[in-house]
Amino acid sequence: MQERKTIHESWGSRWIFILAATGSAVGLGNIWKFPYITGENGGGAFVLVYLVCILAVGIPIMMAEVMIGRRGQQSPINAMRDVAEESGHSGRWSLVGWMGVLAGFMIFSFYSVVAGWVLYYLASMGAGDLVAIGSDTAVQRFEGLLADFDTLLIWHTVFVVMVMLVIMGGVRKGLENAVKFMMPALFVLLFVLLIYSMQSGSFMRGWSFMFDFNIEKLTMQSVLIALGHSFFTLSLGMGAIMAYGSYMPKHTSIGGSVLMIGGLDTLVALVAGLAIFPIVFANQLDPGAGPGLMFITLPVAFGQMPGGQIFGFLFFMLVGLAAWTSAISLVEPATAWLTERFGWHRIPSSLVLGVIIWLLGVAALSSFNVLADFKIFGFTIFDFLDFTTANIMLPLGGLFIAVFAGWFMKQVHSREELAISNAIWFKAWYITLRYVAPVAVAVIFILNLYEKLQ
Ligand code: TRP
């Protein structure tokens, strides 16, 4: 096997790679979105579909991303080009990397706005501003925040700076140090909150809300949601995991690591649900709708509970950490590319990217106030960014990656890179990647678009 030289640093160990990729995967998607859609879509049955999607689509594609990244030893753009050329195909496969960089910018811009809300709530909890607030006040609070351009701008800016400081430090001093401390902290916080919710008196209600096998609540639509979410939650389809894979030490198992990452991501989502719903039920609140659950319902719940101020603070700290370690992975592919293409150091690269991302975020946050009436295809800027990335760019990126790894990349190369000793496991992966994953993604992609555009 020819060994490529890399200009990048690599992770200190296989464990660091697993922590970093888990950090990317575990984010707002797990703590806010997953519990809510699980409850809405029939609990247990939905969880089962979601698990199948993670195993049959998510894991195989994640293995492909890590594999291409490690083989290419570069940013997704250049890795896709080189790995394609190595198999005798067009270097234009780098376009998949380009689309990923663009998707990363777009996701970052709205992710950073939501992370800004989290920081604002963290500060408010810390200051004791949310003690004993009622539902009406909580709604006013959240709506007031959305209408307040300056406050949104401040917290969005803080978040961009936090992320860029880590990016600036590079793979070892920045990313590795960040995940080494933040991920264990995240696990501890989650565990503490789980214990807290177990003592709320409504733990079993929360449990059955999430796990009761309610097959009649399961619709075609919820299958689509499960598949789409398994994609977003694993950070697939834009090269984030590919970039992280390119820093993975050679001769370490890709399959085993990816199973671990997928398992941890799923575990965090399930535990987050079990930490949140009992608290909601214990306070006779509605497990209801999206953004409201985290920013309206939960503050009310915490506000009424003993120690609620402290645990509310810890909760928003947990969400903030999760968002932070996820957002890093959204800019890493672009940073790596700038370093490769222009030989730039990490500092100028992160400054340039920071400015681009900050500006896009300003556009996204304006859609709640000054630009509320500005619509693209009927979407506000924020919704447009969310919709286009999650429903179009990520599925498309994932589809291309599966097709590339399954049909274009030479099989000897993937065999070599994955180094799976058991022939049956390799075959299972290969067949899933060639047939199951692309078909499933294509179907969800088309049905989703059809559904949304009606
Ligand atoms: N997985 C993260 C979450 O669940 C979000 C995320 C980070 C992401 N990097 C990504 C999603 C890359 C898609 C692609 O919140």
Side-chain angles (χ1 to χ4, degrees):
M1 170 162 78
Q2 115 209 47
E3 292 274 341
R4 274 194 192 79
K5 284 248 181 306
T6 175
I7 60 164
H8 301 289
E9 300 169 291
S10 47
W11 306 115
S13 73
R14 170 178 176 228
W15 279 104
I16 297 289
F17 165 73
I18 291 175
L19 274 191
T22 306
S24 165
V26 173
L28 297 169
N30 302 58
I31 303 177
W32 160 69
K33 199 170 172 204
F34 176 77
Y36 158 68
I37 57 177
T38 297
E40 283 275 300
N41 290 282
F46 178 82
V47 172
L48 201 65
V49 176
Y50 163 82
L51 291 176
V52 171
C53 292
I54 293 274
L55 271 177
V57 181
I59 301 281
I61 293 184
M62 193 187 247
M63 284 172 66
E65 276 206 31
V66 177
M67 172 186 84
I68 296 165
R70 192 171 67 179
R71 187 149 190 102
Q73 291 286 297
Q74 293 159 94
S75 65
I77 294 171
N78 289 331
M80 284 300 294
R81 185 198 60 210
D82 282 13
V83 176
E85 284 174 351
E86 184 189 39
S87 287
H89 295 290
S90 162
R92 293 264 174 78
W93 277 100
S94 62
L95 284 173
V96 175
W98 280 110
M99 185 172 75
V101 165
L102 185 65
F105 285 175
M106 292 169 69
I107 297 175
F108 193 103
S109 63
F110 69 85
Y111 212 80
S112 172
V113 175
V114 180
W117 302 344
V118 173
L119 296 177
Y120 169 86
Y121 273 80
L122 178 66
S124 306
M125 281 283 180
D129 282 357
L130 297 171
V131 175
I133 58 167
S135 296
D136 294 345
T137 327
V139 172
Q140 278 166 19
R141 233 355 221 280
F142 188 55
E143 285 176 356
L145 171 65
L146 293 188
D148 183 352
F149 179 88
D150 293 343
T151 307
L152 291 181
L153 185 67
I154 290 171
W155 292 108
H156 158 62
T157 309
V158 170
F159 188 72
V160 171
V161 171
M162 280 162 57
V163 172
M164 285 309 158
L165 282 175
V166 176
I167 290 281
M168 233 175 236
V171 177
R172 278 293 178 98
K173 282 210 207 79
L175 279 69
E176 178 159 333
N177 272 330
V179 298
K180 234 170 23 196
F181 295 105
M182 286 197 255
M183 293 314 288
L186 191 152
F187 287 119
V188 172
L189 283 176
L190 190 62
F191 187 69
V192 169
L193 285 162
L194 180 65
I195 304 282
Y196 182 64
S197 105
M198 280 175 159
Q199 288 167 350
S200 67
S202 297
F203 188 74
M204 284 326 290
R205 264 193 80 191
W207 179 278
S208 25
F209 184 64
M210 278 188 67
F211 296 118
D212 273 359
F213 193 87
N214 226 332
I215 194 82
E216 61 279 6
K217 277 204 208 149
L218 197 69
T219 59
M220 188 54 213
Q221 167 87 15
S222 51
V223 175
L224 297 186
I225 295 175
L227 190 57
H229 186 67
S230 62
F231 233 83
F232 185 85
T233 191
L234 291 176
S235 298
L236 298 179
M238 61 129 313
I241 295 297
M242 202 183 284
Y244 279 18
S246 72
Y247 311 141
M248 190 185 185
K250 285 269 174 193
H251 317 297
T252 50
S253 154
I254 291 179
S257 308
V258 166
L259 279 177
M260 187 78 137
I261 297 157
L264 282 172
D265 183 68
T266 309
L267 186 71
V268 171
L270 296 177
V271 173
L274 288 177
I276 290 170
F277 286 122
I279 298 178
V280 171
F281 288 126
N283 293 282
Q284 286 83 43
L285 292 161
D286 171 24
L293 187 63
M294 194 149 102
F295 299 105
I296 298 171
T297 317
L298 274 186
V300 175
F302 282 123
Q304 293 167 357
M305 297 170 75
Q309 193 189 339
I310 294 171
F311 288 96
F313 181 79
L314 291 180
F315 175 81
F316 282 105
M317 191 149 112
L318 164 74
V319 185
L321 285 179
W324 194 2
T325 53
S326 290
I328 294 166
S329 73
L330 290 166
V331 257
E332 182 56 30
T335 315
W337 183 78
L338 283 178
T339 322
E340 289 159 11
R341 178 69 180 77
F342 302 111
W344 288 5
H345 191 265
R346 303 278 300 199
I347 293 176
S349 308
S350 32
L351 288 176
V352 167
L353 291 173
V355 170
I356 297 174
I357 274 162
W358 181 80
L359 283 172
L360 272 173
V362 173
L365 67 85
S366 305
S367 60
F368 293 105
N369 36 69
V370 289
L371 292 180
D373 295 325
F374 180 79
K375 299 278 165 67
I376 315 166
F377 302 118
F379 294 110
T380 63
I381 300 172
F382 185 94
D383 291 339
F384 176 80
L385 290 164
D386 183 5
F387 175 81
T388 333
T389 49
N391 295 306
I392 300 175
M393 297 171 88
L394 295 181
L396 213 55
L399 182 65
F400 282 134
I401 288 165
V403 167
F404 174 75
W407 297 89
F408 286 84
M409 189 173 165
K410 286 214 174 90
Q411 207 198 100
V412 283
H413 294 162
S414 44
R415 255 185 209 287
E416 215 169 69
E417 204 58 48
L418 291 178
I420 299 175
S421 44
N422 185 326
I424 295 174
W425 281 114
F426 180 81
K427 239 202 159 86
W429 171 76
Y430 208 59
I431 289 172
T432 322
L433 194 76
R434 278 166 78 99
Y435 303 100
V436 182
V439 170
V441 173
V443 168
I444 164 197
F445 178 53
I446 291 161
L447 287 184
N448 227 336
L449 264 187
Y450 182 74
E451 183 92 17
K452 291 277 164 45
L453 295 178
Q454 282 218 321

